[in-house]
Amino acid sequence: MGDVKTKGHHSAGKTLLNPEMIKADFPILSRRIGDRPLVYLDNAATTHKPESVISAMDEYYRKMNSNVHRGLHTLAEESTAAFEWTRKKIAAFIGGVETEEIIYTRNATEAINLVAYSWGRKNIRKGDRIVLTEMEHHANLVPWIALAKETGAELKYIPIDDNYRLDLNNIDKIISDNTRLVSITHMSNVLGTINPVEEIGQTAHSKGALFLVDGAQSVPHMPVDVKAIDADFYAFSAHKMLGPTGIGVLYGKESILNEMEPFIYGGEMISEVRYDFADWNDLPWKFEGGTPNIAGAVGFSPALDYLSDLGMDNIRNHEIELTAYTIAKLSDLKSIKIIGPHDTCMRGGAISFIDKDIHPHDLATFLDSRGIAVRAGHHCAQPLMKRLGLTATARASIYIYNTPEDIDKLVKTLREARRYFCNE
Ligand code: 7TS
């Protein structure tokens, strides 16, 4: 499969994707919105699912459905094997970590909450510092705001500069000796900025702090090696990378996870229980109380295969090209301002923009009336919006199945919006 879908074009020695062929694997992309074909540019919110993911989940419920880790019958053994097989694939996908270091969660949000509850409540005290950045999604903000409120810890933010990148000039002061945790996004869901996580992680570790990376927007779009980054924790969601909703991942270093208390208590996560006593299961199950999202894990497996077959480098190259194309086309529109870096080497394909006269919600509604799906709003990053002096942006976010023609339709419709709203 990979062959044909990556043979589309070759540019400067790089293999690019063939998004037209890829589109054919995604049933929903043949949908029409009113009388127009769907143009889906809301991939930072969630991505669509290829036939292989949909049919794996369908097959699972038709032929294998059973609870995991407890039955001694064929269905239970098959379900458990499938559930654990995906865990192995995830461990390989993010750089070849230990299977025990991969914890299933509901999503990136729950993965970060797991750390905040399990590690944070035990290790963060009054007077400690937690360092975040000004561009965090609420998922990597609110758990720490709550923890700081509870413990009296202090929150400090790495600022952004005028080019929408992190300003690392005072990083040695911001990540102080009393910093216990540095938690930052790998790629901003609003600005598209890719942050220098290796460098920030090194500073964090040099001060004795742990380093958490929110990879919700990076793992789906570029090769990620959590060991090279030296992240202590790394969080992401399956649904933003072709997989089902309701399943996500927390990677954590084994030595740190071993020291942590469970997050959710109940079945699955114990080794022994008496009326007055309970002891915990081994990693990773210690953190997986209750019946997990088995069908989700089954569906995540072909999603990982699909991405691996295309090649994460090829996906990144495709997105660099299409982001450059989008930025160039949007820059032709005089009323539009892009909110994010223009240099595609340091950004991904979540492209926020504003029109100087039209509210982002009006833009998104107008685009939808022409079959084009974008997101408008604060993108769960209210403090960043305030910092930028904005209340909302419109955001087009691309993925493997998007084409230059999708972008042409977006730009043409943005011109039509000017005629509709501004009589131009
Ligand atoms: N972190 C980042 C950087 C994100 O972009 C998101 C979701 C999350 C965490 C949370 O992911 P979840 O799967 O736990 O919900 N971002 C978006 C978005 O940009 N539009 O909708 C969801």
Side-chain angles (χ1 to χ4, degrees), residues 112 131-145 156-158 160 166 182-191 193 195 197 200 211-216 378-385:
I112 297 169
V131 173
L132 312 169
T133 80
E134 285 184 342
M135 62 170 84
E136 297 310 317
H137 185 279
H138 293 166
N140 191 32
L141 204 52
V142 185
W144 309 119
I145 292 171
K156 201 83 179 170
Y157 293 88
I158 303 173
I160 54 169
L166 291 180
V182 177
S183 188
I184 72 166
T185 189
H186 199 161
M187 190 192 292
S188 164
N189 66 317
V190 177
L191 308 170
T193 311
N195 291 320
V197 283
I200 296 169
F211 186 47
L212 187 158
V213 180
D214 172 358
H378 55 64
H379 313 290
C380 298
Q382 284 181 352
L384 173 62
M385 287 292 144

mmCIF file of all heavy atoms in Angstrom, residues 112 131-145 156-158 160 166 182-191 193 195 197 200 211-216 378-385:
data_model
loop_
_atom_site.group_PDB
_atom_site.id
_atom_site.type_symbol
_atom_site.label_atom_id
_atom_site.label_comp_id
_atom_site.label_asym_id
_atom_site.label_seq_id
_atom_site.Cartn_x
_atom_site.Cartn_y
_atom_site.Cartn_z
ATOM 1 N N ILE A 112 -2.484 13.635 30.903
ATOM 2 C CA ILE A 112 -1.865 14.726 31.669
ATOM 3 C C ILE A 112 -2.458 14.772 33.080
ATOM 4 O O ILE A 112 -1.740 14.970 34.067
ATOM 5 C CB ILE A 112 -2.026 16.074 30.918
ATOM 6 C CG1 ILE A 112 -1.277 16.000 29.580
ATOM 7 C CG2 ILE A 112 -1.509 17.242 31.776
ATOM 8 C CD1 ILE A 112 -1.556 17.143 28.626
ATOM 9 N N VAL A 131 6.587 24.874 35.497
ATOM 10 C CA VAL A 131 6.797 25.757 34.347
ATOM 11 C C VAL A 131 6.008 25.249 33.145
ATOM 12 O O VAL A 131 6.110 24.076 32.763
ATOM 13 C CB VAL A 131 8.301 25.865 34.007
ATOM 14 C CG1 VAL A 131 8.505 26.636 32.703
ATOM 15 C CG2 VAL A 131 9.054 26.544 35.153
ATOM 16 N N LEU A 132 5.207 26.156 32.557
ATOM 17 C CA LEU A 132 4.414 25.867 31.356
ATOM 18 C C LEU A 132 4.803 26.904 30.296
ATOM 19 O O LEU A 132 5.759 27.639 30.502
ATOM 20 C CB LEU A 132 2.915 25.949 31.680
ATOM 21 C CG LEU A 132 2.446 25.193 32.939
ATOM 22 C CD1 LEU A 132 1.009 25.586 33.293
ATOM 23 C CD2 LEU A 132 2.538 23.690 32.719
ATOM 24 N N THR A 133 4.084 26.946 29.185
ATOM 25 C CA THR A 133 4.354 28.015 28.222
ATOM 26 C C THR A 133 3.073 28.804 27.984
ATOM 27 O O THR A 133 1.978 28.356 28.349
ATOM 28 C CB THR A 133 4.835 27.468 26.856
ATOM 29 O OG1 THR A 133 3.691 27.028 26.118
ATOM 30 C CG2 THR A 133 5.838 26.348 27.005
ATOM 31 N N GLU A 134 3.230 29.945 27.326
ATOM 32 C CA GLU A 134 2.051 30.782 27.062
ATOM 33 C C GLU A 134 1.155 30.198 25.974
ATOM 34 O O GLU A 134 0.092 30.742 25.715
ATOM 35 C CB GLU A 134 2.507 32.193 26.647
ATOM 36 C CG GLU A 134 3.004 33.013 27.813
ATOM 37 C CD GLU A 134 3.369 34.448 27.434
ATOM 38 O OE1 GLU A 134 3.559 34.732 26.229
ATOM 39 O OE2 GLU A 134 3.479 35.289 28.348
ATOM 40 N N MET A 135 1.598 29.127 25.319
ATOM 41 C CA MET A 135 0.805 28.601 24.191
ATOM 42 C C MET A 135 0.132 27.255 24.502
ATOM 43 O O MET A 135 -0.210 26.510 23.590
ATOM 44 C CB MET A 135 1.671 28.484 22.938
ATOM 45 C CG MET A 135 2.844 27.540 23.055
ATOM 46 S SD MET A 135 3.638 27.227 21.448
ATOM 47 C CE MET A 135 4.739 28.626 21.271
ATOM 48 N N GLU A 136 -0.082 26.960 25.776
ATOM 49 C CA GLU A 136 -0.653 25.648 26.095
ATOM 50 C C GLU A 136 -2.156 25.549 25.834
ATOM 51 O O GLU A 136 -2.904 26.506 26.033
ATOM 52 C CB GLU A 136 -0.368 25.284 27.562
ATOM 53 C CG GLU A 136 1.099 25.144 27.906
ATOM 54 C CD GLU A 136 1.872 24.236 26.954
ATOM 55 O OE1 GLU A 136 1.354 23.167 26.597
ATOM 56 O OE2 GLU A 136 2.989 24.618 26.557
ATOM 57 N N HIS A 137 -2.566 24.374 25.427
ATOM 58 C CA HIS A 137 -3.984 23.983 25.368
ATOM 59 C C HIS A 137 -4.480 23.841 26.816
ATOM 60 O O HIS A 137 -3.700 23.514 27.713
ATOM 61 C CB HIS A 137 -4.064 22.637 24.648
ATOM 62 C CG HIS A 137 -5.438 22.121 24.386
ATOM 63 N ND1 HIS A 137 -6.179 21.462 25.347
ATOM 64 C CD2 HIS A 137 -6.208 22.137 23.272
ATOM 65 C CE1 HIS A 137 -7.343 21.107 24.824
ATOM 66 N NE2 HIS A 137 -7.386 21.497 23.566
ATOM 67 N N HIS A 138 -5.757 24.073 27.044
ATOM 68 C CA HIS A 138 -6.298 23.956 28.407
ATOM 69 C C HIS A 138 -5.964 22.607 29.054
ATOM 70 O O HIS A 138 -5.839 22.506 30.267
ATOM 71 C CB HIS A 138 -7.820 24.141 28.394
ATOM 72 C CG HIS A 138 -8.233 25.538 28.016
ATOM 73 N ND1 HIS A 138 -9.509 25.870 27.671
ATOM 74 C CD2 HIS A 138 -7.515 26.684 27.936
ATOM 75 C CE1 HIS A 138 -9.574 27.168 27.387
ATOM 76 N NE2 HIS A 138 -8.370 27.680 27.536
ATOM 77 N N ALA A 139 -5.806 21.567 28.214
ATOM 78 C CA ALA A 139 -5.494 20.226 28.751
ATOM 79 C C ALA A 139 -4.162 20.203 29.488
ATOM 80 O O ALA A 139 -3.957 19.386 30.386
ATOM 81 C CB ALA A 139 -5.459 19.202 27.608
ATOM 82 N N ASN A 140 -3.243 21.077 29.101
ATOM 83 C CA ASN A 140 -1.951 21.145 29.780
ATOM 84 C C ASN A 140 -1.823 22.427 30.594
ATOM 85 O O ASN A 140 -0.722 22.949 30.785
ATOM 86 C CB ASN A 140 -0.808 21.037 28.755
ATOM 87 C CG ASN A 140 0.552 20.834 29.426
ATOM 88 O OD1 ASN A 140 0.644 20.205 30.491
ATOM 89 N ND2 ASN A 140 1.594 21.394 28.842
ATOM 90 N N LEU A 141 -2.953 22.912 31.030
ATOM 91 C CA LEU A 141 -2.968 24.178 31.765
ATOM 92 C C LEU A 141 -3.836 23.996 33.013
ATOM 93 O O LEU A 141 -3.382 24.183 34.134
ATOM 94 C CB LEU A 141 -3.591 25.223 30.824
ATOM 95 C CG LEU A 141 -3.306 26.689 30.992
ATOM 96 C CD1 LEU A 141 -1.833 26.965 31.050
ATOM 97 C CD2 LEU A 141 -3.918 27.439 29.793
ATOM 98 N N VAL A 142 -5.067 23.586 32.786
ATOM 99 C CA VAL A 142 -6.032 23.514 33.891
ATOM 100 C C VAL A 142 -5.618 22.483 34.957
ATOM 101 O O VAL A 142 -5.748 22.769 36.150
ATOM 102 C CB VAL A 142 -7.460 23.262 33.344
ATOM 103 C CG1 VAL A 142 -8.478 23.306 34.474
ATOM 104 C CG2 VAL A 142 -7.813 24.308 32.290
ATOM 105 N N PRO A 143 -5.093 21.304 34.581
ATOM 106 C CA PRO A 143 -4.664 20.370 35.647
ATOM 107 C C PRO A 143 -3.607 20.987 36.556
ATOM 108 O O PRO A 143 -3.593 20.722 37.764
ATOM 109 C CB PRO A 143 -4.078 19.183 34.874
ATOM 110 C CG PRO A 143 -4.715 19.242 33.528
ATOM 111 C CD PRO A 143 -4.924 20.706 33.241
ATOM 112 N N TRP A 144 -2.754 21.832 35.995
ATOM 113 C CA TRP A 144 -1.670 22.448 36.792
ATOM 114 C C TRP A 144 -2.180 23.646 37.573
ATOM 115 O O TRP A 144 -1.719 23.912 38.683
ATOM 116 C CB TRP A 144 -0.493 22.821 35.885
ATOM 117 C CG TRP A 144 -0.087 21.657 35.030
ATOM 118 C CD1 TRP A 144 -0.096 21.585 33.672
ATOM 119 C CD2 TRP A 144 0.350 20.350 35.477
ATOM 120 N NE1 TRP A 144 0.298 20.342 33.238
ATOM 121 C CE2 TRP A 144 0.569 19.566 34.324
ATOM 122 C CE3 TRP A 144 0.541 19.773 36.730
ATOM 123 C CZ2 TRP A 144 0.995 18.233 34.391
ATOM 124 C CZ3 TRP A 144 0.964 18.451 36.798
ATOM 125 C CH2 TRP A 144 1.192 17.696 35.648
ATOM 126 N N ILE A 145 -3.142 24.365 37.006
ATOM 127 C CA ILE A 145 -3.761 25.473 37.746
ATOM 128 C C ILE A 145 -4.453 24.902 38.989
ATOM 129 O O ILE A 145 -4.321 25.432 40.096
ATOM 130 C CB ILE A 145 -4.762 26.243 36.845
ATOM 131 C CG1 ILE A 145 -4.018 26.983 35.724
ATOM 132 C CG2 ILE A 145 -5.614 27.212 37.672
ATOM 133 C CD1 ILE A 145 -4.905 27.601 34.666
ATOM 134 N N LYS A 156 4.721 29.249 36.371
ATOM 135 C CA LYS A 156 5.510 30.245 35.631
ATOM 136 C C LYS A 156 5.432 29.871 34.152
ATOM 137 O O LYS A 156 5.444 28.679 33.813
ATOM 138 C CB LYS A 156 6.959 30.165 36.131
ATOM 139 C CG LYS A 156 7.749 31.395 35.855
ATOM 140 C CD LYS A 156 7.513 32.455 36.900
ATOM 141 C CE LYS A 156 8.353 33.690 36.618
ATOM 142 N NZ LYS A 156 7.950 34.798 37.497
ATOM 143 N N TYR A 157 5.387 30.882 33.296
ATOM 144 C CA TYR A 157 5.164 30.610 31.872
ATOM 145 C C TYR A 157 6.332 31.073 31.002
ATOM 146 O O TYR A 157 6.781 32.217 31.134
ATOM 147 C CB TYR A 157 3.884 31.312 31.405
ATOM 148 C CG TYR A 157 2.656 30.712 32.062
ATOM 149 C CD1 TYR A 157 2.193 31.188 33.289
ATOM 150 C CD2 TYR A 157 2.006 29.643 31.476
ATOM 151 C CE1 TYR A 157 1.087 30.611 33.905
ATOM 152 C CE2 TYR A 157 0.903 29.058 32.092
ATOM 153 C CZ TYR A 157 0.448 29.551 33.298
ATOM 154 O OH TYR A 157 -0.629 28.969 33.909
ATOM 155 N N ILE A 158 6.810 30.192 30.136
ATOM 156 C CA ILE A 158 7.799 30.610 29.132
ATOM 157 C C ILE A 158 7.030 31.462 28.117
ATOM 158 O O ILE A 158 6.026 30.996 27.545
ATOM 159 C CB ILE A 158 8.444 29.395 28.427
ATOM 160 C CG1 ILE A 158 9.100 28.455 29.455
ATOM 161 C CG2 ILE A 158 9.454 29.861 27.386
ATOM 162 C CD1 ILE A 158 9.626 27.141 28.886
ATOM 163 N N ILE A 160 5.985 33.828 24.698
ATOM 164 C CA ILE A 160 6.180 33.732 23.248
ATOM 165 C C ILE A 160 6.672 35.080 22.739
ATOM 166 O O ILE A 160 6.421 36.120 23.355
ATOM 167 C CB ILE A 160 4.894 33.315 22.503
ATOM 168 C CG1 ILE A 160 3.716 34.227 22.853
ATOM 169 C CG2 ILE A 160 4.543 31.868 22.786
ATOM 170 C CD1 ILE A 160 2.518 34.009 21.954
ATOM 171 N N LEU A 166 8.605 30.343 21.155
ATOM 172 C CA LEU A 166 8.965 30.517 22.561
ATOM 173 C C LEU A 166 10.203 31.387 22.658
ATOM 174 O O LEU A 166 11.160 31.216 21.887
ATOM 175 C CB LEU A 166 9.223 29.158 23.223
ATOM 176 C CG LEU A 166 8.006 28.262 23.411
ATOM 177 C CD1 LEU A 166 8.414 26.948 24.080
ATOM 178 C CD2 LEU A 166 6.911 28.953 24.229
ATOM 179 N N VAL A 182 8.446 20.719 34.277
ATOM 180 C CA VAL A 182 8.284 21.575 33.101
ATOM 181 C C VAL A 182 7.359 20.799 32.166
ATOM 182 O O VAL A 182 7.634 19.643 31.827
ATOM 183 C CB VAL A 182 9.638 21.856 32.417
ATOM 184 C CG1 VAL A 182 9.436 22.675 31.151
ATOM 185 C CG2 VAL A 182 10.581 22.566 33.388
ATOM 186 N N SER A 183 6.233 21.409 31.795
ATOM 187 C CA SER A 183 5.241 20.702 30.988
ATOM 188 C C SER A 183 4.859 21.581 29.807
ATOM 189 O O SER A 183 4.249 22.643 29.981
ATOM 190 C CB SER A 183 4.014 20.379 31.861
ATOM 191 O OG SER A 183 3.135 19.550 31.150
ATOM 192 N N ILE A 184 5.236 21.149 28.606
ATOM 193 C CA ILE A 184 5.017 22.019 27.438
ATOM 194 C C ILE A 184 4.467 21.226 26.247
ATOM 195 O O ILE A 184 4.648 20.013 26.142
ATOM 196 C CB ILE A 184 6.324 22.726 26.995
ATOM 197 C CG1 ILE A 184 7.284 21.743 26.330
ATOM 198 C CG2 ILE A 184 6.994 23.436 28.151
ATOM 199 C CD1 ILE A 184 8.397 22.459 25.595
ATOM 200 N N THR A 185 3.835 21.959 25.366
ATOM 201 C CA THR A 185 3.328 21.320 24.155
ATOM 202 C C THR A 185 4.453 21.178 23.135
ATOM 203 O O THR A 185 5.317 22.053 23.023
ATOM 204 C CB THR A 185 2.139 22.101 23.559
ATOM 205 O OG1 THR A 185 1.576 21.319 22.517
ATOM 206 C CG2 THR A 185 2.556 23.444 22.982
ATOM 207 N N HIS A 186 4.438 20.058 22.416
ATOM 208 C CA HIS A 186 5.438 19.849 21.362
ATOM 209 C C HIS A 186 5.090 20.718 20.152
ATOM 210 O O HIS A 186 5.964 21.316 19.540
ATOM 211 C CB HIS A 186 5.462 18.358 20.986
ATOM 212 C CG HIS A 186 6.700 17.928 20.288
ATOM 213 N ND1 HIS A 186 7.081 16.616 20.208
ATOM 214 C CD2 HIS A 186 7.649 18.617 19.614
ATOM 215 C CE1 HIS A 186 8.216 16.514 19.531
ATOM 216 N NE2 HIS A 186 8.568 17.718 19.158
ATOM 217 N N MET A 187 3.791 20.751 19.837
ATOM 218 C CA MET A 187 3.331 21.597 18.723
ATOM 219 C C MET A 187 2.043 22.297 19.134
ATOM 220 O O MET A 187 1.124 21.655 19.655
ATOM 221 C CB MET A 187 3.077 20.730 17.483
ATOM 222 C CG MET A 187 2.841 21.542 16.225
ATOM 223 S SD MET A 187 2.216 20.571 14.834
ATOM 224 C CE MET A 187 3.589 19.522 14.423
ATOM 225 N N SER A 188 2.001 23.612 18.901
ATOM 226 C CA SER A 188 0.818 24.381 19.306
ATOM 227 C C SER A 188 -0.360 24.101 18.382
ATOM 228 O O SER A 188 -0.217 24.137 17.155
ATOM 229 C CB SER A 188 1.143 25.876 19.291
ATOM 230 O OG SER A 188 -0.061 26.626 19.315
ATOM 231 N N ASN A 189 -1.535 23.891 18.986
ATOM 232 C CA ASN A 189 -2.733 23.633 18.177
ATOM 233 C C ASN A 189 -3.308 24.921 17.596
ATOM 234 O O ASN A 189 -4.172 24.872 16.741
ATOM 235 C CB ASN A 189 -3.806 22.918 19.017
ATOM 236 C CG ASN A 189 -4.340 23.793 20.129
ATOM 237 O OD1 ASN A 189 -3.586 24.479 20.807
ATOM 238 N ND2 ASN A 189 -5.651 23.785 20.326
ATOM 239 N N VAL A 190 -2.817 26.071 18.072
ATOM 240 C CA VAL A 190 -3.313 27.354 17.566
ATOM 241 C C VAL A 190 -2.322 27.959 16.581
ATOM 242 O O VAL A 190 -2.683 28.366 15.478
ATOM 243 C CB VAL A 190 -3.538 28.354 18.727
ATOM 244 C CG1 VAL A 190 -3.981 29.707 18.192
ATOM 245 C CG2 VAL A 190 -4.549 27.802 19.721
ATOM 246 N N LEU A 191 -1.053 28.006 16.981
ATOM 247 C CA LEU A 191 -0.033 28.707 16.193
ATOM 248 C C LEU A 191 0.668 27.786 15.205
ATOM 249 O O LEU A 191 1.283 28.247 14.249
ATOM 250 C CB LEU A 191 1.027 29.302 17.133
ATOM 251 C CG LEU A 191 0.489 30.163 18.283
ATOM 252 C CD1 LEU A 191 1.594 30.496 19.274
ATOM 253 C CD2 LEU A 191 -0.145 31.436 17.725
ATOM 254 N N THR A 193 3.297 26.288 15.913
ATOM 255 C CA THR A 193 4.711 26.321 16.304
ATOM 256 C C THR A 193 5.182 24.976 16.859
ATOM 257 O O THR A 193 4.498 24.377 17.703
ATOM 258 C CB THR A 193 4.927 27.373 17.420
ATOM 259 O OG1 THR A 193 4.291 28.582 17.011
ATOM 260 C CG2 THR A 193 6.402 27.612 17.692
ATOM 261 N N ASN A 195 7.954 23.329 19.136
ATOM 262 C CA ASN A 195 8.870 23.821 20.170
ATOM 263 C C ASN A 195 10.130 22.957 20.281
ATOM 264 O O ASN A 195 10.078 21.756 20.048
ATOM 265 C CB ASN A 195 8.143 23.880 21.517
ATOM 266 C CG ASN A 195 7.092 24.960 21.535
ATOM 267 O OD1 ASN A 195 7.332 26.052 21.002
ATOM 268 N ND2 ASN A 195 5.938 24.666 22.089
ATOM 269 N N VAL A 197 11.857 20.913 22.038
ATOM 270 C CA VAL A 197 11.637 20.152 23.270
ATOM 271 C C VAL A 197 12.929 19.562 23.852
ATOM 272 O O VAL A 197 13.080 19.511 25.074
ATOM 273 C CB VAL A 197 10.564 19.053 23.090
ATOM 274 C CG1 VAL A 197 9.173 19.642 23.096
ATOM 275 C CG2 VAL A 197 10.791 18.237 21.844
ATOM 276 N N ILE A 200 14.666 22.334 25.852
ATOM 277 C CA ILE A 200 13.936 22.704 27.072
ATOM 278 C C ILE A 200 14.007 21.553 28.086
ATOM 279 O O ILE A 200 14.164 21.782 29.289
ATOM 280 C CB ILE A 200 12.487 23.090 26.730
ATOM 281 C CG1 ILE A 200 12.497 24.341 25.840
ATOM 282 C CG2 ILE A 200 11.659 23.343 28.001
ATOM 283 C CD1 ILE A 200 11.172 24.692 25.221
ATOM 284 N N PHE A 211 10.116 16.395 33.059
ATOM 285 C CA PHE A 211 9.752 17.034 31.795
ATOM 286 C C PHE A 211 8.606 16.272 31.143
ATOM 287 O O PHE A 211 8.754 15.098 30.785
ATOM 288 C CB PHE A 211 10.988 17.040 30.885
ATOM 289 C CG PHE A 211 10.793 17.796 29.598
ATOM 290 C CD1 PHE A 211 10.219 19.055 29.588
ATOM 291 C CD2 PHE A 211 11.212 17.243 28.388
ATOM 292 C CE1 PHE A 211 10.044 19.759 28.403
ATOM 293 C CE2 PHE A 211 11.055 17.937 27.199
ATOM 294 C CZ PHE A 211 10.460 19.188 27.212
ATOM 295 N N LEU A 212 7.463 16.943 31.017
ATOM 296 C CA LEU A 212 6.289 16.349 30.364
ATOM 297 C C LEU A 212 6.070 17.051 29.030
ATOM 298 O O LEU A 212 6.131 18.284 28.950
ATOM 299 C CB LEU A 212 5.052 16.511 31.251
ATOM 300 C CG LEU A 212 3.745 15.817 30.821
ATOM 301 C CD1 LEU A 212 2.819 15.609 32.027
ATOM 302 C CD2 LEU A 212 2.980 16.508 29.725
ATOM 303 N N VAL A 213 5.817 16.267 27.991
ATOM 304 C CA VAL A 213 5.523 16.865 26.677
ATOM 305 C C VAL A 213 4.105 16.468 26.264
ATOM 306 O O VAL A 213 3.750 15.289 26.290
ATOM 307 C CB VAL A 213 6.545 16.405 25.615
ATOM 308 C CG1 VAL A 213 6.219 17.035 24.265
ATOM 309 C CG2 VAL A 213 7.969 16.774 26.039
ATOM 310 N N ASP A 214 3.324 17.489 25.897
ATOM 311 C CA ASP A 214 1.990 17.266 25.342
ATOM 312 C C ASP A 214 2.163 17.062 23.837
ATOM 313 O O ASP A 214 2.411 18.014 23.099
ATOM 314 C CB ASP A 214 1.112 18.481 25.665
ATOM 315 C CG ASP A 214 -0.241 18.421 24.965
ATOM 316 O OD1 ASP A 214 -0.491 17.468 24.202
ATOM 317 O OD2 ASP A 214 -1.049 19.345 25.193
ATOM 318 N N GLY A 215 2.037 15.809 23.418
ATOM 319 C CA GLY A 215 2.285 15.474 22.016
ATOM 320 C C GLY A 215 1.020 15.304 21.189
ATOM 321 O O GLY A 215 1.064 14.693 20.118
ATOM 322 N N ALA A 216 -0.093 15.866 21.667
ATOM 323 C CA ALA A 216 -1.374 15.662 20.967
ATOM 324 C C ALA A 216 -1.303 16.107 19.503
ATOM 325 O O ALA A 216 -1.921 15.497 18.631
ATOM 326 C CB ALA A 216 -2.499 16.395 21.692
ATOM 327 N N HIS A 378 -11.563 29.931 20.394
ATOM 328 C CA HIS A 378 -10.319 30.122 21.148
ATOM 329 C C HIS A 378 -9.475 28.853 21.167
ATOM 330 O O HIS A 378 -8.379 28.832 21.696
ATOM 331 C CB HIS A 378 -10.603 30.622 22.566
ATOM 332 C CG HIS A 378 -11.544 29.754 23.344
ATOM 333 N ND1 HIS A 378 -11.241 28.455 23.700
ATOM 334 C CD2 HIS A 378 -12.792 30.002 23.826
ATOM 335 C CE1 HIS A 378 -12.250 27.943 24.377
ATOM 336 N NE2 HIS A 378 -13.216 28.848 24.460
ATOM 337 N N HIS A 379 -9.977 27.792 20.561
ATOM 338 C CA HIS A 379 -9.228 26.531 20.407
ATOM 339 C C HIS A 379 -8.725 25.990 21.744
ATOM 340 O O HIS A 379 -7.633 25.417 21.821
ATOM 341 C CB HIS A 379 -8.060 26.704 19.421
ATOM 342 C CG HIS A 379 -8.455 27.398 18.156
ATOM 343 N ND1 HIS A 379 -9.257 26.815 17.207
ATOM 344 C CD2 HIS A 379 -8.194 28.652 17.702
ATOM 345 C CE1 HIS A 379 -9.464 27.666 16.218
ATOM 346 N NE2 HIS A 379 -8.843 28.785 16.499
ATOM 347 N N CYS A 380 -9.512 26.167 22.796
ATOM 348 C CA CYS A 380 -9.123 25.706 24.135
ATOM 349 C C CYS A 380 -7.779 26.276 24.554
ATOM 350 O O CYS A 380 -6.953 25.579 25.167
ATOM 351 C CB CYS A 380 -9.095 24.179 24.220
ATOM 352 S SG CYS A 380 -10.685 23.436 23.937
ATOM 353 N N ALA A 381 -7.538 27.523 24.188
ATOM 354 C CA ALA A 381 -6.300 28.198 24.596
ATOM 355 C C ALA A 381 -6.634 29.660 24.901
ATOM 356 O O ALA A 381 -6.078 30.582 24.307
ATOM 357 C CB ALA A 381 -5.249 28.083 23.500
ATOM 358 N N GLN A 382 -7.549 29.850 25.843
ATOM 359 C CA GLN A 382 -8.002 31.211 26.151
ATOM 360 C C GLN A 382 -6.872 32.137 26.598
ATOM 361 O O GLN A 382 -6.803 33.276 26.145
ATOM 362 C CB GLN A 382 -9.109 31.168 27.206
ATOM 363 C CG GLN A 382 -10.442 30.724 26.628
ATOM 364 C CD GLN A 382 -11.556 30.690 27.662
ATOM 365 O OE1 GLN A 382 -11.318 30.867 28.858
ATOM 366 N NE2 GLN A 382 -12.764 30.453 27.209
ATOM 367 N N PRO A 383 -5.957 31.667 27.484
ATOM 368 C CA PRO A 383 -4.885 32.592 27.887
ATOM 369 C C PRO A 383 -4.014 33.034 26.703
ATOM 370 O O PRO A 383 -3.583 34.187 26.636
ATOM 371 C CB PRO A 383 -4.066 31.773 28.899
ATOM 372 C CG PRO A 383 -5.022 30.757 29.413
ATOM 373 C CD PRO A 383 -5.901 30.416 28.252
ATOM 374 N N LEU A 384 -3.768 32.124 25.762
ATOM 375 C CA LEU A 384 -2.973 32.486 24.575
ATOM 376 C C LEU A 384 -3.710 33.535 23.745
ATOM 377 O O LEU A 384 -3.111 34.518 23.285
ATOM 378 C CB LEU A 384 -2.685 31.239 23.729
ATOM 379 C CG LEU A 384 -2.002 31.492 22.378
ATOM 380 C CD1 LEU A 384 -0.621 32.126 22.554
ATOM 381 C CD2 LEU A 384 -1.882 30.188 21.579
ATOM 382 N N MET A 385 -5.008 33.342 23.573
ATOM 383 C CA MET A 385 -5.799 34.313 22.804
ATOM 384 C C MET A 385 -5.684 35.700 23.439
ATOM 385 O O MET A 385 -5.476 36.694 22.758
ATOM 386 C CB MET A 385 -7.275 33.898 22.782
ATOM 387 C CG MET A 385 -7.563 32.731 21.907
ATOM 388 S SD MET A 385 -7.336 33.142 20.164
ATOM 389 C CE MET A 385 -6.695 31.612 19.593
#
